Amino acid sequence: PQDEQHSHFFFVLFVRSLRIPGTPLKIPRNVMRPFMEFGLRFTLDPIFAEDRMAVEWELDGYRRHWNKPMAELNPAVKAFQEQTIRKWQEYLDRVEARKPKAVRERDAAAKKRTTGKAAR
C-alpha cells in the first residue's frame, strides 16, 4: 500500500520467443521488442483497463459494504487477501513506529479506555 486509498502493482511478462503465425519461423530477438510493444498496446492494455475497472468497482463496493460477508470460491483470492492484510499491517506498523513515543502511549491509553483492551 502507498496510503489509505492507493496501492502500487506491477506486471512482468516473460516471452521466450514469438512465432510468425502459420509458419515455423521465429521472430528474431532484436525485432521482438517493437512487435511486443505494438501488440501489447492493442491486446493486453485493453484487458488491463478492464481489470482495473473491475478492481476499482470491487474496492468501491468494499468501502461501502465493508461489514457484509463476502463469498469467494477461489483459494488464490484468499491467499491474496491474506498477503494484502499482512502488507497493510506492515504499513500501519511503520506509520505507528514513526510517531513519537508519547503519542503512541496516548493512543494506546485511549484505545484501552474505549475498547477495554490494550493496543498491540
Side-chain angles (χ1 to χ4, degrees):
Q2 292 173 304
D3 60 32
E4 287 77 11
Q5 297 296 321
H6 300 92
S7 291
H8 180 77
F9 79 97
F10 63 93
F11 180 78
V12 178
L13 178 66
F14 292 101
V15 177
R16 184 177 301 155
S17 65
L18 291 177
R19 292 189 184 276
I20 298 172
T23 73
L25 303 174
K26 291 183 180 179
I27 296 174
R29 273 244 187 251
N30 61 340
V31 177
M32 192 166 77
R33 185 177 179 98
F35 269 91
M36 291 298 295
E37 289 174 359
F38 179 78
L40 291 177
R41 187 169 292 127
F42 296 103
T43 56
L44 288 183
D45 285 354
I47 292 169
F48 288 145
E50 290 174 7
D51 288 349
R52 179 178 172 211
M53 272 194 303
V55 169
E56 287 174 352
W57 292 339
E58 282 183 19
L59 290 173
D60 183 53
Y62 178 78
R63 282 188 203 106
R64 289 187 285 138
H65 307 287
W66 59 270
N67 59 344
K68 303 286 191 248
M70 203 169 22
E72 184 54 65
L73 304 175
N74 186 339
V77 172
K78 182 176 187 289
F80 173 76
Q81 290 170 337
E82 289 169 352
Q83 179 183 13
T84 301
I85 290 167
R86 267 194 320 277
K87 291 296 183 181
W88 262 109
Q89 192 59 57
E90 289 171 9
Y91 168 76
L92 295 173
D93 292 345
R94 285 194 310 271
V95 169
E96 186 69 21
R98 288 193 298 255
K99 290 180 182 178
K101 183 179 179 184
V103 172
R104 288 195 311 268
E105 290 171 350
R106 181 201 66 204
D107 291 350
K111 183 174 183 175
K112 188 175 182 179
R113 281 193 306 276
T114 58
T115 65
K117 299 177 185 172
R120 3 179 275 131

